[in-house]
Amino acid sequence: MPHPSPPPPPPRQSPHRPAPPPYPGDYLMPWQSSPPPPPPRPPAPAARPAPAPGHHSDLRRLRTAYRLLRRVSTLTALGYFTLFLLLSGYAPALMTRPVGDSGLTTGLLLGLCQLPVTLAAVAVYERTARRAVDPLSAGLRERAGHPRHATTRTPGGDRRTGTGR
């Protein structure tokens, strides 16, 4: 039966060389003991969850501004058209009354004004969106860490999968 050989004697200490560490960091010899485990770390403080997007005051203001914008522009265009229809149905004498000597009737004149009223509603919508809604959404986008949407487009994006947007 073979006898295990005794561990080699420790290397001789030279007065000029420091003694090697009792165990190297990456491996242990059979006669070396393992290092003591590191002390346990204190538990990390629980991270505060981010506020839910629907409950954020900036998002509420953005939704309110956008809702007001939609309602005003929609009610302007549809309100004028509804008024035109109600006058046509319930006030035919007013709608057939001639305006001046040109042969134009009140109904025809109100019908021709439909396009400028709709264009005015669109112009007011754009101006209000640019002044009230866009700064709120840009501020939210910056706080969320997203770059401006105009710079995120990359050429060669696939429209079907949504890449490159």
Side-chain angles (χ1 to χ4, degrees):
M1 194 168 189
H3 293 286
S5 62
R12 291 175 54 182
Q13 297 290 328
S14 163
H16 303 291
R17 258 178 42 193
Y23 51 86
D26 57 346
Y27 65 94
L28 295 174
M29 295 302 219
W31 62 85
Q32 294 173 326
S33 65
S34 60
R41 290 185 176 181
R48 254 181 69 197
H55 301 294
H56 199 272
S57 64
D58 291 338
L59 284 176
R60 268 197 304 268
R61 284 191 308 193
L62 179 63
R63 278 195 310 261
T64 302
Y66 187 60
R67 187 180 307 124
L68 181 68
L69 179 65
R70 286 189 324 239
R71 287 179 182 168
V72 168
S73 60
T74 302
L75 290 177
T76 301
L78 287 180
Y80 184 83
F81 183 69
T82 304
L83 176 70
F84 177 75
L85 289 178
L86 289 174
L87 288 174
S88 296
Y90 294 108
L94 173 71
M95 298 299 272
T96 57
R97 185 178 302 159
V99 177
D101 295 334
S102 64
L104 263 161
T105 63
T106 308
L108 188 55
L109 186 63
L110 289 175
L112 290 174
C113 288
Q114 184 76 40
L115 183 63
V117 167
T118 304
L119 292 177
V122 169
V124 168
Y125 179 90
E126 286 181 2
R127 182 171 180 239
T128 308
R130 205 172 295 121
R131 290 177 57 207
V133 177
D134 290 350
L136 287 173
S137 65
L140 282 173
R141 192 177 301 115
E142 286 173 10
R143 270 182 252 132
H146 294 287
R148 293 187 72 99
H149 66 281
T151 60
T152 59
R153 293 186 184 203
T154 57
D158 189 3
R159 292 180 68 133
R160 290 172 288 160
T161 60
T163 59
R165 290 186 183 185

